[in-house]
Structure formats: C-alpha cells, structure tokens
Amino acid sequence: MPVDYLAKRFGVFLLIVWIAATLNFFLPRLSGQDPVRVKLLQQAQLGGYVQAGIDAMVKEYDRRFGLDQPLWVQYLAYLHDAARLDFNYSIANYPRTVNEIIAEAIPWTIGLLGATTLLSFGIGTFLGALLAWPRAPRWIRFLLPPLWALHAIPFFLFGLILMYLLAFRITVLPMFGGYSAGAFPALTLDFAADVLKHSILPAMSIVLVATGGWALTMRGMMVTTQGEDFVTFAEAKGLKSLTIFLHYCARNAILPQTTGLALALGQILSGAVLVEVIFAYPGIGTVLYHAIRENDHFLIQGIVFTVIVALGLATLILDAIYPLLDPRISYRKA
C-alpha cells in the first residue's frame, strides 16, 4: 500500500473529524440556554427548595466547567480536550465524568447493535443471493414480499409492534430495561441469561427490519452480476452451478455489501437511538437522548465526537482495504 495514498486518506480523515467536531461544539450552544442554571432550577423545584443564592451557585459551577470563559477560549479548550479524548464532567450527572458514562453505556450498545448488525448482514446477504439465483429452491421466492414489507417499517415502529404482541399481550418477554429490576450486574450465568432475555425484543426489531434491506441490495447486485460476461463464460465452460454461484456471482456481488457493512458498523453507536429509548435499554442511545433533553453540552459533545471518530475510522479503513477486496480498483487511480 503506497504511503502517500495512506497519508492523503489520513489527512482527509483528520479534516472531517475537525469539521464535525467544530459543528459538534457550536450546535448545542445555539439553543441559548444556560444548562447549569436550568439543571439547578429543576433540582430546586423538585426538592421544594428556596431558589435563594442560585446565582452564586451558577457562577461557581460555570467556573468549574469553564463556561465563564469567552466562547473562543471554550472552543480551544474543547479541541485540546477532544484530542486527548477528555470530555470534562457531565453537567447533569456531576461529579461523574463524560468518559465514565460513555464507558458504562458503550458495551450495551456494541453488544446489542454489533451482534444484530452482523447477524442481519449474514442472513440478509445469504437470502438475497438465493433470491436472485435461478436454481435456488422455489420456496425461497415466497420470502421476497415479507422482506419488502419488513424493510419498509422503521426500527422503532416495528419494536412497538413486537412489544405489544410479546410483552403486553402474551407477556413472554420483558418490556423494558437491560436486566431485571433489583438485579446487580455480575459475571454469572443467571445474570447473562437475564440480559439475553431483555435484549431479545430490541434485537428482533433490528434484525428483522435490517435483514430485508441487506437481502434486497444483495439480490439487486446478484441480478447485475449474473449478466456479466465472465458468468456467461463460466457457464459455457460447464462449471458446476455451486461454483458459479459462490465464486463468480456471490463473490463479486458482495463487494458493495462490504462497503455497507463497514459504514453500518461505524454507525453502531448512533444507529438505533430510538430503539434503545423505546425499550429503555441502557446503551449510548438512551444516554444521548437524556443528554439532549437535559441540554448537557459536554455529554452530547463526548457521545457525538465518539460517533464521528468511529464513523471516520470505518471509512478510513474501508478506503485503505477496498483495493485489496476489489482488484478493479487500484491505489494509483483512487
């Protein structure tokens, strides 16, 4: 792999991260709200406290968070902290740091969305290849209408349907949460089984909807690939049907799917925010939802910046390895 090619792509990656990080800093501040004052007023109202002295408290917290500095000073401090992956304290959950909250939520999101993304990709790609293959069993064709229908339904809406059927009407699965109320996280089989049981509903809503999308795109690519000259040549040579299917059609048709998978994995942290919110799943989507509601600037910045870096890295790695996956693309031409 040429060094200048990799250096150019890394420079583009840094530029994208800087632009996105800059927007990430200014967008939460466009609301014009003072997050510290709003949070203190909410606590005072909930506790029935007298709001006397709140100005002094706001002034003290602004000093601690650096919000009393000019905006350009805050921006430079933000860039400096972001470069060190340090996102300050959470305003709504002080004295917990943003890194602590993200580190606590990320395993839940990666476990749920990582597994469901890979599972839906594998099932959908396999079904899509068979749907376009003329020699596939006839019953495979009956799967196309359900896949079309499932793909047209949003994740969160299908999640609500599953919740009504399996958690409200039949009550075979839990409706909310990552584990049962009162349980304590531990490395035990009982706790793992409890977590698995709570993840079935959100996982089903993602897998069933996403499988349709993967299957339809793979089917389209397979139809295109089967019309290529090299497939006709392979058939004229009298190669086995399975060899043509696997080595000539599916192998070439899966390249765009690989691009989609890399981008989908990069978007895992933000891909199904509404699903996590609906099922009260303790992942990064739920944390981001509450951070936006509470106008927690630092927590929003930390989560969005993590998503930006993850997506940028996925694109960078894809850019670097794509010529290795597809010989038609060379590093010199790219």
Side-chain angles (χ1 to χ4, degrees):
M1 182 184 304
V3 176
D4 59 338
Y5 175 88
L6 192 59
K8 190 183 296 181
R9 290 297 181 269
F10 189 70
V12 173
F13 163 73
L14 292 179
L15 178 64
I16 292 172
V17 169
W18 172 69
I19 293 174
T22 300
L23 293 174
N24 183 31
F25 173 82
F26 287 105
L27 284 179
R29 288 165 172 77
L30 292 180
S31 66
Q33 290 186 344
D34 184 341
V36 175
R37 180 178 293 277
V38 171
K39 186 64 181 175
L40 290 176
L41 286 174
Q42 286 177 350
Q43 290 181 340
Q45 289 171 355
L46 290 173
Y49 304 137
V50 178
Q51 299 176 12
I54 199 165
D55 287 337
M57 294 173 65
V58 170
K59 191 175 180 181
E60 174 61 21
Y61 277 109
D62 280 348
R63 186 187 64 77
R64 292 191 182 189
F65 292 131
L67 297 174
D68 59 338
Q69 300 293 322
L71 193 59
W72 68 271
V73 175
Q74 294 183 43
Y75 174 64
L76 293 179
Y78 159 73
L79 291 181
H80 180 258
D81 291 343
R84 297 182 295 117
L85 299 181
D86 181 2
F87 300 103
N88 211 332
Y89 292 97
S90 165
I91 295 174
N93 302 280
Y94 184 81
R96 299 191 68 196
T97 64
V98 170
N99 285 352
E100 288 176 356
I101 297 173
I102 293 178
E104 192 176 277
I106 272 185
W108 291 94
T109 297
I110 291 180
L112 174 67
L113 297 184
T116 53
T117 300
L118 293 176
L119 190 61
S120 59
F121 172 79
I123 298 173
T125 301
F126 180 69
L127 288 178
L130 288 179
L131 282 169
W133 188 239
R135 302 179 185 85
R138 294 179 62 86
W139 62 266
I140 289 288
R141 299 174 189 175
F142 293 103
L143 296 178
L144 191 57
L147 289 173
W148 271 105
L150 286 173
H151 180 57
I153 303 175
F155 289 131
F156 67 94
L157 183 58
F158 193 63
L160 288 174
I161 295 172
L162 291 177
M163 182 188 292
Y164 174 76
L165 294 176
L166 301 178
F168 185 74
R169 300 296 297 181
I170 307 178
T171 66
V172 294
L173 291 171
M175 189 178 297
F176 301 115
Y179 50 86
S180 299
F184 292 97
L187 294 175
T188 62
L189 287 177
D190 289 340
F191 183 74
D194 193 30
V195 170
L196 183 63
K197 188 176 180 181
H198 280 76
S199 65
I200 290 176
L201 270 183
M204 282 178 66
S205 66
I206 296 172
V207 169
L208 292 177
V209 173
T211 296
W214 290 118
L216 295 176
T217 54
M218 183 63 181
R219 177 178 174 270
M221 287 307 302
M222 280 288 289
V223 170
T224 304
T225 305
Q226 288 176 67
E228 296 289 342
D229 293 339
F230 58 85
V231 176
T232 306
F233 183 67
E235 290 173 343
K237 285 175 64 179
L239 295 180
K240 293 181 180 177
S241 176
L242 183 61
T243 303
I244 298 174
F245 174 72
L246 291 177
H247 296 280
Y248 287 80
C249 296
R251 184 180 178 183
N252 288 283
I254 205 171
L255 287 172
Q257 293 283 93
T258 309
T259 307
L261 177 63
L263 295 177
L265 289 175
Q267 291 176 327
I268 275 179
L269 296 181
S270 62
V273 172
L274 288 176
V275 172
E276 288 189 1
V277 172
I278 287 171
F279 290 101
Y281 200 76
I284 206 76
T286 303
V287 174
L288 179 60
Y289 169 73
H290 289 295
I292 293 172
R293 285 192 61 186
E294 295 169 339
N295 208 16
D296 191 339
H297 291 178
F298 299 132
L299 190 52
I300 296 172
Q301 288 172 183
I303 294 173
V304 175
F305 187 81
T306 305
V307 173
I308 292 168
V309 172
L311 190 56
L313 280 176
T315 309
L316 176 65
I317 294 171
L318 186 68
D319 251 354
I321 67 170
Y322 211 88
L324 302 177
L325 299 174
D326 189 351
R328 293 169 295 183
I329 300 174
S330 70
Y331 290 111
R332 289 188 179 278
K333 292 179 181 176

PDB file of all heavy atoms in Angstrom, residues 24-57:
ATOM      1  N   ASN A  24     -20.052  20.056  16.229  1.00  0.00           N
ATOM      2  CA  ASN A  24     -20.468  19.416  17.472  1.00  0.00           C
ATOM      3  C   ASN A  24     -20.348  20.366  18.664  1.00  0.00           C
ATOM      4  O   ASN A  24     -21.126  20.294  19.611  1.00  0.00           O
ATOM      5  CB  ASN A  24     -19.595  18.169  17.695  1.00  0.00           C
ATOM      6  CG  ASN A  24     -19.989  17.388  18.911  1.00  0.00           C
ATOM      7  OD1 ASN A  24     -21.150  17.369  19.285  1.00  0.00           O
ATOM      8  ND2 ASN A  24     -19.028  16.749  19.533  1.00  0.00           N
ATOM      9  N   PHE A  25     -19.386  21.292  18.613  1.00  0.00           N
ATOM     10  CA  PHE A  25     -19.208  22.256  19.708  1.00  0.00           C
ATOM     11  C   PHE A  25     -20.265  23.352  19.654  1.00  0.00           C
ATOM     12  O   PHE A  25     -20.849  23.710  20.674  1.00  0.00           O
ATOM     13  CB  PHE A  25     -17.806  22.867  19.628  1.00  0.00           C
ATOM     14  CG  PHE A  25     -17.579  23.979  20.609  1.00  0.00           C
ATOM     15  CD1 PHE A  25     -17.247  23.702  21.930  1.00  0.00           C
ATOM     16  CD2 PHE A  25     -17.716  25.312  20.224  1.00  0.00           C
ATOM     17  CE1 PHE A  25     -17.052  24.726  22.847  1.00  0.00           C
ATOM     18  CE2 PHE A  25     -17.520  26.338  21.133  1.00  0.00           C
ATOM     19  CZ  PHE A  25     -17.183  26.042  22.435  1.00  0.00           C
ATOM     20  N   PHE A  26     -20.515  23.880  18.449  1.00  0.00           N
ATOM     21  CA  PHE A  26     -21.388  25.053  18.361  1.00  0.00           C
ATOM     22  C   PHE A  26     -22.890  24.716  18.365  1.00  0.00           C
ATOM     23  O   PHE A  26     -23.702  25.490  18.861  1.00  0.00           O
ATOM     24  CB  PHE A  26     -21.047  25.865  17.109  1.00  0.00           C
ATOM     25  CG  PHE A  26     -19.750  26.606  17.229  1.00  0.00           C
ATOM     26  CD1 PHE A  26     -18.605  26.174  16.582  1.00  0.00           C
ATOM     27  CD2 PHE A  26     -19.667  27.747  18.021  1.00  0.00           C
ATOM     28  CE1 PHE A  26     -17.402  26.862  16.705  1.00  0.00           C
ATOM     29  CE2 PHE A  26     -18.464  28.441  18.159  1.00  0.00           C
ATOM     30  CZ  PHE A  26     -17.332  27.987  17.496  1.00  0.00           C
ATOM     31  N   LEU A  27     -23.278  23.552  17.816  1.00  0.00           N
ATOM     32  CA  LEU A  27     -24.710  23.247  17.697  1.00  0.00           C
ATOM     33  C   LEU A  27     -25.441  23.220  19.041  1.00  0.00           C
ATOM     34  O   LEU A  27     -26.523  23.818  19.165  1.00  0.00           O
ATOM     35  CB  LEU A  27     -24.898  21.922  16.954  1.00  0.00           C
ATOM     36  CG  LEU A  27     -24.684  21.987  15.433  1.00  0.00           C
ATOM     37  CD1 LEU A  27     -24.874  20.605  14.805  1.00  0.00           C
ATOM     38  CD2 LEU A  27     -25.659  22.975  14.794  1.00  0.00           C
ATOM     39  N   PRO A  28     -24.914  22.537  20.083  1.00  0.00           N
ATOM     40  CA  PRO A  28     -25.668  22.541  21.357  1.00  0.00           C
ATOM     41  C   PRO A  28     -25.823  23.933  21.949  1.00  0.00           C
ATOM     42  O   PRO A  28     -26.758  24.186  22.710  1.00  0.00           O
ATOM     43  CB  PRO A  28     -24.809  21.651  22.274  1.00  0.00           C
ATOM     44  CG  PRO A  28     -23.986  20.828  21.364  1.00  0.00           C
ATOM     45  CD  PRO A  28     -23.720  21.703  20.175  1.00  0.00           C
ATOM     46  N   ARG A  29     -24.924  24.870  21.583  1.00  0.00           N
ATOM     47  CA  ARG A  29     -24.971  26.217  22.169  1.00  0.00           C
ATOM     48  C   ARG A  29     -25.920  27.147  21.421  1.00  0.00           C
ATOM     49  O   ARG A  29     -26.147  28.270  21.865  1.00  0.00           O
ATOM     50  CB  ARG A  29     -23.557  26.802  22.191  1.00  0.00           C
ATOM     51  CG  ARG A  29     -22.676  26.133  23.238  1.00  0.00           C
ATOM     52  CD  ARG A  29     -21.201  26.424  23.035  1.00  0.00           C
ATOM     53  NE  ARG A  29     -20.413  25.915  24.164  1.00  0.00           N
ATOM     54  CZ  ARG A  29     -20.100  24.638  24.347  1.00  0.00           C
ATOM     55  NH1 ARG A  29     -20.510  23.730  23.475  1.00  0.00           N
ATOM     56  NH2 ARG A  29     -19.391  24.249  25.402  1.00  0.00           N
ATOM     57  N   LEU A  30     -26.439  26.684  20.258  1.00  0.00           N
ATOM     58  CA  LEU A  30     -27.375  27.527  19.512  1.00  0.00           C
ATOM     59  C   LEU A  30     -28.699  27.695  20.245  1.00  0.00           C
ATOM     60  O   LEU A  30     -29.462  28.611  19.957  1.00  0.00           O
ATOM     61  CB  LEU A  30     -27.623  26.916  18.120  1.00  0.00           C
ATOM     62  CG  LEU A  30     -26.431  26.931  17.162  1.00  0.00           C
ATOM     63  CD1 LEU A  30     -26.819  26.290  15.830  1.00  0.00           C
ATOM     64  CD2 LEU A  30     -25.938  28.358  16.925  1.00  0.00           C
ATOM     65  N   SER A  31     -29.006  26.792  21.168  1.00  0.00           N
ATOM     66  CA  SER A  31     -30.277  26.905  21.902  1.00  0.00           C
ATOM     67  C   SER A  31     -30.307  28.141  22.787  1.00  0.00           C
ATOM     68  O   SER A  31     -31.381  28.645  23.121  1.00  0.00           O
ATOM     69  CB  SER A  31     -30.509  25.648  22.748  1.00  0.00           C
ATOM     70  OG  SER A  31     -29.529  25.563  23.765  1.00  0.00           O
ATOM     71  N   GLY A  32     -29.125  28.636  23.177  1.00  0.00           N
ATOM     72  CA  GLY A  32     -29.073  29.830  24.004  1.00  0.00           C
ATOM     73  C   GLY A  32     -29.393  29.596  25.464  1.00  0.00           C
ATOM     74  O   GLY A  32     -29.450  30.539  26.260  1.00  0.00           O
ATOM     75  N   GLN A  33     -29.636  28.340  25.869  1.00  0.00           N
ATOM     76  CA  GLN A  33     -29.962  28.046  27.262  1.00  0.00           C
ATOM     77  C   GLN A  33     -28.698  27.938  28.101  1.00  0.00           C
ATOM     78  O   GLN A  33     -27.627  27.587  27.590  1.00  0.00           O
ATOM     79  CB  GLN A  33     -30.743  26.738  27.348  1.00  0.00           C
ATOM     80  CG  GLN A  33     -32.143  26.815  26.782  1.00  0.00           C
ATOM     81  CD  GLN A  33     -32.924  25.529  27.023  1.00  0.00           C
ATOM     82  OE1 GLN A  33     -32.345  24.499  27.346  1.00  0.00           O
ATOM     83  NE2 GLN A  33     -34.216  25.597  26.854  1.00  0.00           N
ATOM     84  N   ASP A  34     -28.837  28.238  29.379  1.00  0.00           N
ATOM     85  CA  ASP A  34     -27.748  28.035  30.332  1.00  0.00           C
ATOM     86  C   ASP A  34     -27.987  26.686  31.007  1.00  0.00           C
ATOM     87  O   ASP A  34     -28.864  26.558  31.864  1.00  0.00           O
ATOM     88  CB  ASP A  34     -27.748  29.154  31.378  1.00  0.00           C
ATOM     89  CG  ASP A  34     -26.571  29.044  32.342  1.00  0.00           C
ATOM     90  OD1 ASP A  34     -25.995  27.936  32.419  1.00  0.00           O
ATOM     91  OD2 ASP A  34     -26.244  30.042  32.997  1.00  0.00           O
ATOM     92  N   PRO A  35     -27.250  25.622  30.608  1.00  0.00           N
ATOM     93  CA  PRO A  35     -27.556  24.279  31.136  1.00  0.00           C
ATOM     94  C   PRO A  35     -27.388  24.175  32.643  1.00  0.00           C
ATOM     95  O   PRO A  35     -28.126  23.449  33.305  1.00  0.00           O
ATOM     96  CB  PRO A  35     -26.552  23.386  30.400  1.00  0.00           C
ATOM     97  CG  PRO A  35     -25.462  24.286  29.954  1.00  0.00           C
ATOM     98  CD  PRO A  35     -26.100  25.610  29.694  1.00  0.00           C
ATOM     99  N   VAL A  36     -26.436  24.902  33.212  1.00  0.00           N
ATOM    100  CA  VAL A  36     -26.206  24.840  34.658  1.00  0.00           C
ATOM    101  C   VAL A  36     -27.389  25.444  35.406  1.00  0.00           C
ATOM    102  O   VAL A  36     -27.912  24.858  36.359  1.00  0.00           O
ATOM    103  CB  VAL A  36     -24.902  25.562  35.018  1.00  0.00           C
ATOM    104  CG1 VAL A  36     -24.734  25.608  36.529  1.00  0.00           C
ATOM    105  CG2 VAL A  36     -23.715  24.876  34.365  1.00  0.00           C
ATOM    106  N   ARG A  37     -27.834  26.603  34.975  1.00  0.00           N
ATOM    107  CA  ARG A  37     -28.969  27.267  35.635  1.00  0.00           C
ATOM    108  C   ARG A  37     -30.236  26.420  35.512  1.00  0.00           C
ATOM    109  O   ARG A  37     -30.991  26.265  36.485  1.00  0.00           O
ATOM    110  CB  ARG A  37     -29.192  28.651  35.018  1.00  0.00           C
ATOM    111  CG  ARG A  37     -30.355  29.433  35.638  1.00  0.00           C
ATOM    112  CD  ARG A  37     -30.473  30.813  35.010  1.00  0.00           C
ATOM    113  NE  ARG A  37     -29.321  31.635  35.340  1.00  0.00           N
ATOM    114  CZ  ARG A  37     -29.200  32.319  36.470  1.00  0.00           C
ATOM    115  NH1 ARG A  37     -30.175  32.280  37.386  1.00  0.00           N
ATOM    116  NH2 ARG A  37     -28.136  33.036  36.706  1.00  0.00           N
ATOM    117  N   VAL A  38     -30.476  25.867  34.300  1.00  0.00           N
ATOM    118  CA  VAL A  38     -31.668  25.040  34.098  1.00  0.00           C
ATOM    119  C   VAL A  38     -31.646  23.833  35.019  1.00  0.00           C
ATOM    120  O   VAL A  38     -32.661  23.474  35.639  1.00  0.00           O
ATOM    121  CB  VAL A  38     -31.749  24.586  32.622  1.00  0.00           C
ATOM    122  CG1 VAL A  38     -32.854  23.547  32.440  1.00  0.00           C
ATOM    123  CG2 VAL A  38     -31.998  25.778  31.713  1.00  0.00           C
ATOM    124  N   LYS A  39     -30.490  23.179  35.145  1.00  0.00           N
ATOM    125  CA  LYS A  39     -30.386  21.991  35.998  1.00  0.00           C
ATOM    126  C   LYS A  39     -30.604  22.345  37.468  1.00  0.00           C
ATOM    127  O   LYS A  39     -31.325  21.641  38.186  1.00  0.00           O
ATOM    128  CB  LYS A  39     -28.996  21.357  35.819  1.00  0.00           C
ATOM    129  CG  LYS A  39     -28.825  20.035  36.563  1.00  0.00           C
ATOM    130  CD  LYS A  39     -29.761  18.980  36.008  1.00  0.00           C
ATOM    131  CE  LYS A  39     -29.616  17.662  36.753  1.00  0.00           C
ATOM    132  NZ  LYS A  39     -30.612  16.675  36.299  1.00  0.00           N
ATOM    133  N   LEU A  40     -29.996  23.440  37.918  1.00  0.00           N
ATOM    134  CA  LEU A  40     -30.153  23.839  39.325  1.00  0.00           C
ATOM    135  C   LEU A  40     -31.598  24.227  39.625  1.00  0.00           C
ATOM    136  O   LEU A  40     -32.128  23.914  40.699  1.00  0.00           O
ATOM    137  CB  LEU A  40     -29.207  24.990  39.640  1.00  0.00           C
ATOM    138  CG  LEU A  40     -27.720  24.627  39.666  1.00  0.00           C
ATOM    139  CD1 LEU A  40     -26.862  25.867  39.895  1.00  0.00           C
ATOM    140  CD2 LEU A  40     -27.433  23.589  40.762  1.00  0.00           C
ATOM    141  N   LEU A  41     -32.259  24.898  38.681  1.00  0.00           N
ATOM    142  CA  LEU A  41     -33.661  25.274  38.891  1.00  0.00           C
ATOM    143  C   LEU A  41     -34.560  24.034  38.948  1.00  0.00           C
ATOM    144  O   LEU A  41     -35.492  23.969  39.758  1.00  0.00           O
ATOM    145  CB  LEU A  41     -34.119  26.208  37.774  1.00  0.00           C
ATOM    146  CG  LEU A  41     -33.585  27.646  37.826  1.00  0.00           C
ATOM    147  CD1 LEU A  41     -33.994  28.420  36.577  1.00  0.00           C
ATOM    148  CD2 LEU A  41     -34.104  28.345  39.081  1.00  0.00           C
ATOM    149  N   GLN A  42     -34.261  23.039  38.097  1.00  0.00           N
ATOM    150  CA  GLN A  42     -35.042  21.791  38.134  1.00  0.00           C
ATOM    151  C   GLN A  42     -34.898  21.097  39.486  1.00  0.00           C
ATOM    152  O   GLN A  42     -35.879  20.626  40.068  1.00  0.00           O
ATOM    153  CB  GLN A  42     -34.572  20.860  37.017  1.00  0.00           C
ATOM    154  CG  GLN A  42     -35.006  21.271  35.625  1.00  0.00           C
ATOM    155  CD  GLN A  42     -34.449  20.360  34.554  1.00  0.00           C
ATOM    156  OE1 GLN A  42     -33.587  19.516  34.827  1.00  0.00           O
ATOM    157  NE2 GLN A  42     -34.918  20.516  33.339  1.00  0.00           N
ATOM    158  N   GLN A  43     -33.657  21.020  39.985  1.00  0.00           N
ATOM    159  CA  GLN A  43     -33.436  20.375  41.272  1.00  0.00           C
ATOM    160  C   GLN A  43     -34.115  21.137  42.393  1.00  0.00           C
ATOM    161  O   GLN A  43     -34.671  20.544  43.324  1.00  0.00           O
ATOM    162  CB  GLN A  43     -31.933  20.261  41.543  1.00  0.00           C
ATOM    163  CG  GLN A  43     -31.224  19.256  40.629  1.00  0.00           C
ATOM    164  CD  GLN A  43     -29.752  19.132  40.932  1.00  0.00           C
ATOM    165  OE1 GLN A  43     -29.168  20.010  41.549  1.00  0.00           O
ATOM    166  NE2 GLN A  43     -29.156  18.035  40.492  1.00  0.00           N
ATOM    167  N   ALA A  44     -34.085  22.463  42.315  1.00  0.00           N
ATOM    168  CA  ALA A  44     -34.729  23.266  43.351  1.00  0.00           C
ATOM    169  C   ALA A  44     -36.238  23.061  43.345  1.00  0.00           C
ATOM    170  O   ALA A  44     -36.877  22.937  44.398  1.00  0.00           O
ATOM    171  CB  ALA A  44     -34.385  24.741  43.137  1.00  0.00           C
ATOM    172  N   GLN A  45     -36.823  22.968  42.156  1.00  0.00           N
ATOM    173  CA  GLN A  45     -38.277  22.781  42.046  1.00  0.00           C
ATOM    174  C   GLN A  45     -38.690  21.388  42.528  1.00  0.00           C
ATOM    175  O   GLN A  45     -39.689  21.221  43.224  1.00  0.00           O
ATOM    176  CB  GLN A  45     -38.714  22.980  40.601  1.00  0.00           C
ATOM    177  CG  GLN A  45     -38.638  24.437  40.151  1.00  0.00           C
ATOM    178  CD  GLN A  45     -38.863  24.592  38.657  1.00  0.00           C
ATOM    179  OE1 GLN A  45     -38.978  23.612  37.934  1.00  0.00           O
ATOM    180  NE2 GLN A  45     -38.911  25.830  38.190  1.00  0.00           N
ATOM    181  N   LEU A  46     -37.882  20.363  42.158  1.00  0.00           N
ATOM    182  CA  LEU A  46     -38.214  19.001  42.584  1.00  0.00           C
ATOM    183  C   LEU A  46     -38.094  18.839  44.091  1.00  0.00           C
ATOM    184  O   LEU A  46     -38.874  18.126  44.722  1.00  0.00           O
ATOM    185  CB  LEU A  46     -37.283  17.998  41.873  1.00  0.00           C
ATOM    186  CG  LEU A  46     -37.525  17.817  40.372  1.00  0.00           C
ATOM    187  CD1 LEU A  46     -36.444  16.931  39.766  1.00  0.00           C
ATOM    188  CD2 LEU A  46     -38.894  17.186  40.136  1.00  0.00           C
ATOM    189  N   GLY A  47     -37.096  19.503  44.676  1.00  0.00           N
ATOM    190  CA  GLY A  47     -36.894  19.359  46.113  1.00  0.00           C
ATOM    191  C   GLY A  47     -37.659  20.347  46.937  1.00  0.00           C
ATOM    192  O   GLY A  47     -37.634  20.282  48.176  1.00  0.00           O
ATOM    193  N   GLY A  48     -38.313  21.300  46.271  1.00  0.00           N
ATOM    194  CA  GLY A  48     -39.067  22.304  47.018  1.00  0.00           C
ATOM    195  C   GLY A  48     -38.174  23.288  47.743  1.00  0.00           C
ATOM    196  O   GLY A  48     -38.557  23.880  48.746  1.00  0.00           O
ATOM    197  N   TYR A  49     -36.935  23.446  47.234  1.00  0.00           N
ATOM    198  CA  TYR A  49     -36.002  24.354  47.885  1.00  0.00           C
ATOM    199  C   TYR A  49     -36.295  25.792  47.509  1.00  0.00           C
ATOM    200  O   TYR A  49     -36.871  26.090  46.473  1.00  0.00           O
ATOM    201  CB  TYR A  49     -34.560  24.030  47.495  1.00  0.00           C
ATOM    202  CG  TYR A  49     -34.165  22.612  47.787  1.00  0.00           C
ATOM    203  CD1 TYR A  49     -33.429  21.890  46.850  1.00  0.00           C
ATOM    204  CD2 TYR A  49     -34.505  21.990  48.982  1.00  0.00           C
ATOM    205  CE1 TYR A  49     -33.047  20.585  47.098  1.00  0.00           C
ATOM    206  CE2 TYR A  49     -34.136  20.691  49.234  1.00  0.00           C
ATOM    207  CZ  TYR A  49     -33.418  19.990  48.294  1.00  0.00           C
ATOM    208  OH  TYR A  49     -33.062  18.707  48.537  1.00  0.00           O
ATOM    209  N   VAL A  50     -35.819  26.703  48.371  1.00  0.00           N
ATOM    210  CA  VAL A  50     -35.863  28.117  48.043  1.00  0.00           C
ATOM    211  C   VAL A  50     -34.732  28.403  47.065  1.00  0.00           C
ATOM    212  O   VAL A  50     -33.640  27.854  47.189  1.00  0.00           O
ATOM    213  CB  VAL A  50     -35.699  28.965  49.326  1.00  0.00           C
ATOM    214  CG1 VAL A  50     -35.695  30.453  48.987  1.00  0.00           C
ATOM    215  CG2 VAL A  50     -36.807  28.634  50.312  1.00  0.00           C
ATOM    216  N   GLN A  51     -35.015  29.186  46.040  1.00  0.00           N
ATOM    217  CA  GLN A  51     -34.033  29.415  44.994  1.00  0.00           C
ATOM    218  C   GLN A  51     -33.060  30.533  45.329  1.00  0.00           C
ATOM    219  O   GLN A  51     -32.376  31.062  44.456  1.00  0.00           O
ATOM    220  CB  GLN A  51     -34.763  29.717  43.687  1.00  0.00           C
ATOM    221  CG  GLN A  51     -35.653  28.574  43.221  1.00  0.00           C
ATOM    222  CD  GLN A  51     -36.437  28.925  41.984  1.00  0.00           C
ATOM    223  OE1 GLN A  51     -36.184  29.925  41.337  1.00  0.00           O
ATOM    224  NE2 GLN A  51     -37.395  28.076  41.648  1.00  0.00           N
ATOM    225  N   ALA A  52     -32.980  30.899  46.602  1.00  0.00           N
ATOM    226  CA  ALA A  52     -32.060  31.953  47.003  1.00  0.00           C
ATOM    227  C   ALA A  52     -30.626  31.478  46.830  1.00  0.00           C
ATOM    228  O   ALA A  52     -30.300  30.330  47.119  1.00  0.00           O
ATOM    229  CB  ALA A  52     -32.319  32.347  48.457  1.00  0.00           C
ATOM    230  N   GLY A  53     -29.770  32.358  46.359  1.00  0.00           N
ATOM    231  CA  GLY A  53     -28.353  32.049  46.205  1.00  0.00           C
ATOM    232  C   GLY A  53     -28.038  31.254  44.967  1.00  0.00           C
ATOM    233  O   GLY A  53     -26.902  30.787  44.801  1.00  0.00           O
ATOM    234  N   ILE A  54     -29.035  31.061  44.094  1.00  0.00           N
ATOM    235  CA  ILE A  54     -28.798  30.226  42.916  1.00  0.00           C
ATOM    236  C   ILE A  54     -27.831  30.901  41.944  1.00  0.00           C
ATOM    237  O   ILE A  54     -27.071  30.226  41.246  1.00  0.00           O
ATOM    238  CB  ILE A  54     -30.134  29.897  42.223  1.00  0.00           C
ATOM    239  CG1 ILE A  54     -29.920  28.680  41.306  1.00  0.00           C
ATOM    240  CG2 ILE A  54     -30.668  31.071  41.429  1.00  0.00           C
ATOM    241  CD1 ILE A  54     -31.180  28.044  40.856  1.00  0.00           C
ATOM    242  N   ASP A  55     -27.822  32.229  41.935  1.00  0.00           N
ATOM    243  CA  ASP A  55     -26.889  32.921  41.042  1.00  0.00           C
ATOM    244  C   ASP A  55     -25.450  32.624  41.430  1.00  0.00           C
ATOM    245  O   ASP A  55     -24.588  32.420  40.568  1.00  0.00           O
ATOM    246  CB  ASP A  55     -27.142  34.433  41.084  1.00  0.00           C
ATOM    247  CG  ASP A  55     -28.432  34.805  40.361  1.00  0.00           C
ATOM    248  OD1 ASP A  55     -28.861  34.013  39.494  1.00  0.00           O
ATOM    249  OD2 ASP A  55     -29.001  35.866  40.670  1.00  0.00           O
ATOM    250  N   ALA A  56     -25.178  32.588  42.724  1.00  0.00           N
ATOM    251  CA  ALA A  56     -23.818  32.284  43.178  1.00  0.00           C
ATOM    252  C   ALA A  56     -23.440  30.853  42.833  1.00  0.00           C
ATOM    253  O   ALA A  56     -22.292  30.565  42.458  1.00  0.00           O
ATOM    254  CB  ALA A  56     -23.720  32.512  44.692  1.00  0.00           C
ATOM    255  N   MET A  57     -24.412  29.929  42.954  1.00  0.00           N
ATOM    256  CA  MET A  57     -24.146  28.533  42.603  1.00  0.00           C
ATOM    257  C   MET A  57     -23.868  28.387  41.109  1.00  0.00           C
ATOM    258  O   MET A  57     -22.959  27.660  40.694  1.00  0.00           O
ATOM    259  CB  MET A  57     -25.330  27.658  43.006  1.00  0.00           C
ATOM    260  CG  MET A  57     -25.545  27.573  44.513  1.00  0.00           C
ATOM    261  SD  MET A  57     -27.055  26.692  44.942  1.00  0.00           S
ATOM    262  CE  MET A  57     -26.669  25.048  44.348  1.00  0.00           C
TER     263      MET A  57
END
